[in-house]
Amino acid sequence: MSNLLKSWITSANSADTDFPLNNLPYGVFSIGDSDAHCGVAIGDMILDVTAAEEAGVLTPADVPVFDVPFWNDFMELGAEAWAAFRADLTAALAEGSEKQAALEPHLVAQSGATLHMPVAVSEYTDFYAGMQHAKNMGSIMRGSPDLPANWLHIPIGYNGRASTVVVSGTDIHRPLGQTKAPDTEMPSFGPCKRLDIELEMGAIVGTGSTMGQPISVDQADAMIFGYVLLNDWSARDIQGWEYQPLGPFQGKAFGTTISPWIVTAAALEDFRTATPPREKELLPYLAENKPGLYDINLEVTMQPKDAAKATTITRTNYSRMYYSAAQQLCHHAVCGCEMNAGDLLGSGTISGPTKDEFGSLLELSWAGREPFTLDTGETRSFIEDGDTLTLKGHAQGDGYRIGFGECRGTILPAVKNPFE
Amino acid sequence: MSNLLKSWITSANSADTDFPLNNLPYGVFSIGDSDAHCGVAIGDMILDVTAAEEAGVLTPADVPVFDVPFWNDFMELGAEAWAAFRADLTAALAEGSEKQAALEPHLVAQSGATLHMPVAVSEYTDFYAGMQHAKNMGSIMRGSPDLPANWLHIPIGYNGRASTVVVSGTDIHRPLGQTKAPDTEMPSFGPCKRLDIELEMGAIVGTGSTMGQPISVDQADAMIFGYVLLNDWSARDIQGWEYQPLGPFQGKAFGTTISPWIVTAAALEDFRTATPPREKELLPYLAENKPGLYDINLEVTMQPKDAAKATTITRTNYSRMYYSAAQQLCHHAVCGCEMNAGDLLGSGTISGPTKDEFGSLLELSWAGREPFTLDTGETRSFIEDGDTLTLKGHAQGDGYRIGFGECRGTILPAVKNPFE
């Protein structure tokens, strides 16, 4: 395990910052009305790497890769270039660096910056790799905690909607949709009544695979560029009525929020941890040769519109998952499905074994049968208009942390139903 | 109903051509090693609109839209520009046109051209809107022809994989994947044994919607740029083991083939036909104000590797569907899901009421229990290596046809299993 690396940017040298020199996560930001630039978070500052590249101070490739407001072009350079650039950045931002004077003009304060999507999402896939969550969903939706027959053999996933993946801070309208109560003959149309979150990690694919060619878990692991926090907003009533037989669709398509900083796999390397023991042996193509999960502490807070402070409603850890992102990516490509830079893989909802670790309101309120109480005294089963939900996460090092920043969204009232 | 419109390109004036002046479908082509250009099929020729735009002969916008090898930039100009360009093209290619001399240098023979994807697919969604197919699938997969409870209320769809949508003529490897026989305890990994097609139409979204804002069926109809034939290759054994509870994934992700020419909604206008009578009343948001389907004759042929000729294995019509593409697109966006130019919507498998109209081999062979016989005397239940499957389609006018060209793919053997 490394120690805190010291930077000439002194705010990066605190044990509490999300963004010490050990982290160096990648994002996209703008100041006022200026163009969005690629940036690296360091302490309470952002290093404008678009400007630094233009000035010739940091040049990861022979051609510009930061002249676009997303990290896809950089990702496509491949893992060797990722490592070289990270090494350059680490040296340039370290205490005593000769580049300090050249980089200082390209630092901006995070407090004055607007953060944007760090990646142009090619396609979005969501998985279902948390065992406790799968058991809870079985109990709630199908009346039995028994896992689906394939669950211990397949990292089950489904394709989601990339067009509505948004960055932290983006408000989301309560969705309209079709639902049916168990005791009615006909469905109805209107605002979702059971609006929920799902606490997930998102893995960002950095280099692609070739159509028709499977990849191994090790190859998949090397293709993953980094991770973000991911909130898979879910309309449980819409989902419950639509999902048989072809899976979730409109219940998930209205929005997915990610944290603004891509924390690289390199920054998380010291925090690798193995998946839990197998309950049934996996087929060889899915076997894990090195620890594929990471020890990342996660929490979710909920804050009603007029509340003075947020209440922490759950705390868990990414290491609770049964399948790693590398196993998921391997399975995703194994039939010959081409994967591309910018593909986003949601881990599936992360729920630990006890109620205080559950990763969705559906589980925390047991489908509304056991509402929970916020610090303000209000109770909740699902999200009400004006509620802000925030995911946070960090890996805890010795005297430093690798933080993800926030993954935050506020739910706005449904738009007027245009069909009434 | 219009009559055949006469062109100075005489091969376009035949009753048998797929591409009379009434059609004018949009594609992308290249000759030899040259760059791919946008083109319009007319008789046995292609009008190179990239070259014509560069020469100033056809200029749909103030900025170039055909300097990229797909029609997305043109689509984003919107419906008024689509209509204006179609009117210009129709006049320019009509008998007696003053533009004949200016356009002649930009014509190339289809026989010498390689066709490419006409559109950069943003996201791909597949629906399940054929009633006979849904009943057949219920009978075969779940033991009952009863429709799912939601089927008569929702145009059921699921998100598919855009990265493996390929143009007609692209060979597809038999996929590897995980399957489980009913009588074994453990699943196994290897080449798919039940490889299938699905006969579908694909609708191409030409203009987008805004995240958070629903759209009506009429708005959706106006957003659809055109249609292609679509073969949703399906690995039935992989699909059968994986699809509960979150829907098809790897069983569908290895390839989807489309025909190379986008037949515009404008070209199909005369062939509109209403969806069949409702068995249950739809919610108002899905109501159809004008006929949303089209009378398009469809057929599928199958040709083993060494066979002298192909056998027609099914003939049906797009008008068999229960939901239109406009209804599907409306439902897709109704929760606030942003739709974008280049989104591709598969209709779902088109199966008519009798066996000679079934749109998949699973249905034609009733899951292998009733193999069918080809003209060569060979029998088939599913696809064998080397088989070529071809979809064809056209709307039949009075003395002319609006044809789609071919949607063809040959199945290659599985790649070597790298996990053995």
Side-chain angles (χ1 to χ4, degrees), chain B residues 168-392:
Chain B
S168 177
T170 307
D171 294 337
I172 306 272
H173 281 286
R174 177 178 299 273
L176 300 171
Q178 190 178 140
T179 58
K180 195 181 89 62
D183 56 348
T184 61
E185 195 204 324
M186 286 288 288
S188 60
F189 183 84
C192 165
K193 292 179 181 149
R194 293 161 77 91
L195 188 57
D196 200 355
I197 58 158
E198 291 193 330
L199 167 60
E200 303 194 20
M201 297 292 300
I204 292 169
V205 176
T207 54
S209 70
T210 303
M211 182 172 169
Q213 302 297 327
I215 56 173
S216 68
V217 173
D218 284 348
Q219 286 172 313
D221 187 77
M223 288 163 59
I224 296 173
F225 182 64
Y227 292 83
V228 291
L229 306 172
L230 185 150
N231 180 358
D232 178 33
W233 302 96
S234 298
R236 299 299 182 191
D237 42 359
I238 297 171
Q239 183 186 354
W241 170 230
E242 77 179 355
Y243 91 107
Q244 287 288 9
L246 298 185
F249 187 53
Q250 292 299 282
K252 301 278 193 172
F254 57 96
T256 301
T257 304
I258 64 171
S259 53
W261 297 106
I262 305 171
V263 175
T264 62
L268 292 167
E269 187 62 30
D270 281 345
F271 303 94
R272 280 188 180 271
T273 181
T275 54
R278 301 295 90 178
E279 300 202 359
K280 290 197 180 170
E281 192 182 355
L282 287 175
L283 286 167
Y285 81 96
L286 286 172
E288 187 177 55
N289 291 322
K290 66 175 179 178
L293 293 174
Y294 298 94
D295 178 0
I296 299 170
N297 299 304
L298 299 165
E299 66 173 85
V300 180
T301 69
M302 186 171 202
Q303 184 165 19
K305 190 175 182 185
D306 297 319
K309 64 185 278 292
T311 301
T312 298
I313 57 173
T314 195
R315 281 194 180 87
T316 185
N317 192 291
Y318 180 45
S319 62
R320 295 299 194 189
M321 302 310 275
Y322 192 78
Y323 293 102
S324 69
Q327 288 172 313
Q328 291 168 334
L329 178 54
C330 164
H331 181 71
H332 204 323
V334 87
C335 70
C337 177
E338 177 179 313
M339 305 303 299
N340 288 304
D343 284 339
L344 173 65
L345 311 185
S347 61
T349 308
I350 305 166
S351 288
T354 54
K355 190 166 178 172
D356 54 340
E357 290 198 34
F358 289 176
S360 70
L361 306 190
L362 186 78
E363 295 165 87
L364 287 167
S365 73
W366 211 250
R369 296 197 280 278
E370 300 166 21
F372 55 89
T373 305
L374 302 176
D375 294 347
T376 56
E378 292 177 87
T379 59
R380 284 289 185 280
S381 290
F382 294 98
I383 302 172
E384 298 191 6
D385 290 347
D387 287 350
T388 296
L389 280 295
T390 305
L391 281 50
K392 295 178 192 165

Side-chain angles (χ1 to χ4, degrees), chain A residues 6 146 163 244 271 300 329 331 366 402 420:
Chain A
K6 290 279 187 75
D146 291 351
S163 64
Q244 288 286 11
F271 304 94
V300 180
L329 179 54
H331 180 71
W366 211 248
I402 303 294
E420 271 178 342

Side-chain angles (χ1 to χ4, degrees), chain A residues 123 161 163 250 332 338 343, chain B residues 161 163 250 332 338 343:
Chain A
E123 298 193 59
R161 184 76 194 175
S163 64
Q250 292 298 284
H332 204 325
E338 177 179 312
D343 284 340
Chain B
R161 183 77 192 173
S163 64
Q250 292 299 282
H332 204 323
E338 177 179 313
D343 284 339

Side-chain angles (χ1 to χ4, degrees), chain A residues 60-85:
Chain A
D62 297 337
V63 293
V65 292
F66 298 135
D67 57 343
V68 287
F70 39 76
W71 283 75
N72 300 53
D73 286 10
F74 175 78
M75 291 193 280
E76 297 205 13
L77 297 176
E80 277 185 41
W82 308 345
F85 182 67

